Amino acid sequence: MIFRQLFDGVSGAYTYILGNEETREALIIDPVLEKTERYIQLLDELGLKLVKALDTHLHADHITALGALRDRLGCITVMGRQSAVDQVSIRLDDGDAIELGDISLRALHTPGHTDDSYCFLMADRVFTGDTLLIRGTGRTDFQNGDPVAGYHSIFAKLLTLPGDTLVYPGHDYKGDTLSTIAEERAHNPRLQVSSAEEYAAIMDNLHLPDPKMMDVAVAANLIIGVSVSDPMVEENTLSVTEARRYLEKDGAIFIDLREAPELRKAGVIPGSLHAPYAGLSGHIQPGGMLRALADRSAKTMILYCAHGERSVLALRALKDAGMENVRHLRGGFDAWIRDGAPSTKH
Ligand SMILES: [Fe+2]
């Protein structure tokens, strides 16, 4: 695995790049907007293609680069189900796997610092965001923070990991770069407590000032969804009601852009074909499935994903490749299900 830990001196935030040496695909955790150019350059130098950008939680101290990286590199965005963000490509639940070829991260929902905090666990290391810091823990006094929930997240989900698990936090203000679970269990002053109440008493008496960037950062981080305000997208967007009409008349081929685990978990629109967004360029090229469909079928292709973000990116790619009879489903499978539209198991 290719691994980089990057630091933003302004916010004290760590960003991590994980790259698969075989496939040359990469993901990034907690990228900072001001560093976008640096990430793009480094990915290029390392010969990596960014496919996923993850945030551990909605940040209050810096503006996320999730939206910028999606717009620049076409990667997909990932956050927790609970996040108040307007749109991401994939919303995680506790226990979900995030795969990068043979590298796999497990999402652990660890509310406390915020209600949407997640840690990402690999075999030998865990990316703890602001849930667990080196000799500290993330504050719990805003963004639906909850010290009792934080105690349970840390003690039940993190401190129960093998002691030699490496801890890579979301921040450090003292220059430390990593720790281990055993080290934090033994030496983190906040964790030398015997009950949730005792931990909450510490956290409730920190009296920290608000982060300098808080008002600006939270407002910006809430609205990162893909822009749909271009006439091409507007013209080619279908509501669930419109898409259902196509399904009833058998007038369309539904193309599912999600990843296999998402299909297994949530189900699919009946009769749809599976073309994961990550492999889209292959499907568009001559000989590819979508190219063949566009050439041979008179039916409309309706692109859909989980929430309607990947389908906008894919719509642009198919249109750029000269495919005319393509639409995308606004709100994705999530909106489809909320409308009570039919689905089948995958
Ligand atoms: Fe935070």
Side-chain angles (χ1 to χ4, degrees), residues 201-257:
I202 295 176
M203 298 309 286
D204 289 341
N205 283 296
L206 294 176
H207 305 301
L208 298 166
D210 282 349
K212 275 181 243 129
M213 287 271 290
M214 181 160 166
D215 292 342
V216 178
V218 171
N221 289 339
L222 282 168
I223 299 165
I224 63 166
V226 69
S227 168
V228 293
S229 64
D230 91 64
M232 187 286 288
V233 174
E234 279 171 21
E235 269 167 37
N236 294 294
T237 295
L238 297 178
S239 67
V240 172
T241 309
E242 290 164 328
R244 286 181 77 162
R245 250 177 253 138
Y246 275 95
L247 182 71
E248 281 152 22
K249 291 189 296 189
D250 193 24
I253 303 166
F254 285 78
I255 309 289
D256 195 320
L257 300 163

Side-chain angles (χ1 to χ4, degrees), residues 30 56-62 113-114 116-117 129-131 133 138-139 142-143 170-171 173 211:
D30 287 336
T56 51
H57 62 290
L58 196 111
H59 296 287
D61 61 342
H62 66 264
H113 170 59
T114 63
D116 71 336
S117 286
D130 294 352
T131 298
L133 306 175
R139 63 194 296 173
F142 55 62
Q143 290 186 286
H171 283 103
Y173 309 99

Side-chain angles (χ1 to χ4, degrees), residues 260-271:
E262 298 179 84
L263 274 59
R264 283 197 296 273
K265 196 165 102 176
V268 299
I269 295 177

